[in-house]
């Protein structure tokens, strides 16, 4: 059973990951959002997408993303539940075409966390609390990830991505993180 605000005990392993380049240091945390179908929360569709088993006939939108091979290291659901899909030391396929501080291929050196949400719907306090706990754990494990190296998908793929969107309260997140 999953407990709100805590990591799920049995990680799911997405097939959409691979090894990081040899000697690569994990030094970036990327925050995303996702909802499937767009704007709808709950259900198994995000799991299905990350696990490579999304039924393209279940919703008209899914036909547009059929065959998409994406994942994230973790998803934080609306109630704060954290679901793990890819071990942190592996390369999840979350960033796509991206660059940070002059380096391309952010998947090589980043950890990706998805928040169940949209650019325009406020995130839940439980999601912020879970994100802070997870971020603190990640920062302790990977000290090259500093406050300045926590970004949104929109920061590493401007013009292509907009998440986590204007609904994500960066000031609130960082105030909790700094406490």
């Amino acid at each position: 059973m999953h407990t709100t605000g805590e990591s799920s005990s049995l990680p799911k392993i997405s097939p959409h990951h691979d090894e990081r380049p040899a000697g690569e240091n994990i030094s970036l945390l990327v925050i995303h959002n996702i909802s499937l179908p767009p704007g709808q929360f709950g259900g198994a569709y995000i799991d299905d997408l990350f696990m490579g088993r999304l039924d393209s006939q279940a919703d008209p939108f899914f036909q547009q993303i059929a065959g998409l091979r994406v994942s994230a290291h973790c998803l934080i659901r609306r109630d704060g539940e954290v679901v793990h899909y890819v071990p942190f030391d592996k390369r999840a396929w979350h960033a796509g075409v991206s660059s940070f501080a002059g380096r391309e291929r952010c998947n090589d050196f980043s950890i990706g966390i998805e928040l169940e949400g949209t650019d325009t719907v406020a995130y839940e306090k439980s999601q912020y609390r879970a994100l802070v706990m997870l971020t603190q754990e990640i920062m302790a494990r990977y000290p090259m990830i500093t406050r300045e190296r926590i970004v949104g998908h929109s920061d590493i793929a401007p013009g292509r991505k907009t998440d986590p969107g204007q609904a994500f309260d960066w000031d609130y997140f960082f105030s909790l993180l700094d406490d």
Side-chain angles (χ1 to χ4, degrees):
M1 175 170 214
H2 301 296
T3 306
T4 301
E6 295 181 8
S7 296
S8 55
S9 58
L10 298 173
K12 302 172 184 210
I13 304 296
S14 170
H16 304 151
H17 77 280
D18 56 7
E19 297 295 323
R20 294 182 188 272
E24 188 63 70
N25 290 313
I26 298 169
S27 61
L28 185 68
L29 178 62
V30 181
I31 300 172
H32 305 260
N33 75 35
I34 188 169
S35 60
L36 288 177
Q40 295 182 30
F41 306 136
Y45 294 129
I46 297 170
D47 277 345
D48 291 345
L49 176 66
F50 289 167
M51 298 304 289
R53 60 177 185 237
L54 185 64
D55 178 1
S56 64
Q57 302 305 307
D59 185 272
F61 175 76
F62 297 166
Q63 293 174 12
Q64 298 175 39
I65 61 172
L68 193 61
R69 295 171 41 127
V70 297
S71 63
H73 291 91
C74 301
L75 165 70
I76 301 176
R77 295 198 180 276
R78 300 295 290 179
D79 65 0
E81 175 192 1
V82 176
V83 183
H84 291 262
Y85 293 96
V86 175
F88 293 142
D89 64 332
K90 304 296 183 198
R91 177 172 53 192
W93 303 342
H94 63 95
V97 176
S98 55
S99 105
F100 179 79
R103 286 193 63 195
E104 295 187 7
R105 299 179 49 97
C106 292
N107 284 339
D108 290 350
F109 57 94
S110 68
I111 291 173
I113 299 175
E114 294 274 2
L115 296 172
E116 186 176 25
T118 71
D119 289 3
T120 58
V121 175
Y123 294 92
E124 301 292 336
K125 299 267 191 241
S126 58
Q127 289 180 289
Y128 285 105
R129 286 191 299 270
L131 178 60
V132 165
M133 289 184 345
L134 189 56
T135 299
Q136 290 169 336
E137 175 187 325
I138 289 167
M139 291 174 80
R141 193 166 169 189
Y142 302 101
M144 291 181 73
I145 297 177
T146 61
R147 192 178 194 273
E148 296 74 31
R149 296 184 69 87
I150 300 171
V151 298
H153 198 184
S154 58
D155 297 313
I156 63 168
R160 188 174 72 80
K161 294 295 182 178
T162 58
D163 56 313
Q166 66 265 25
F168 187 77
D169 188 339
W170 285 100
D171 291 336
Y172 179 65
F173 166 68
F174 282 123
S175 73
L176 293 175
L177 188 64
D178 293 340
D179 276 350

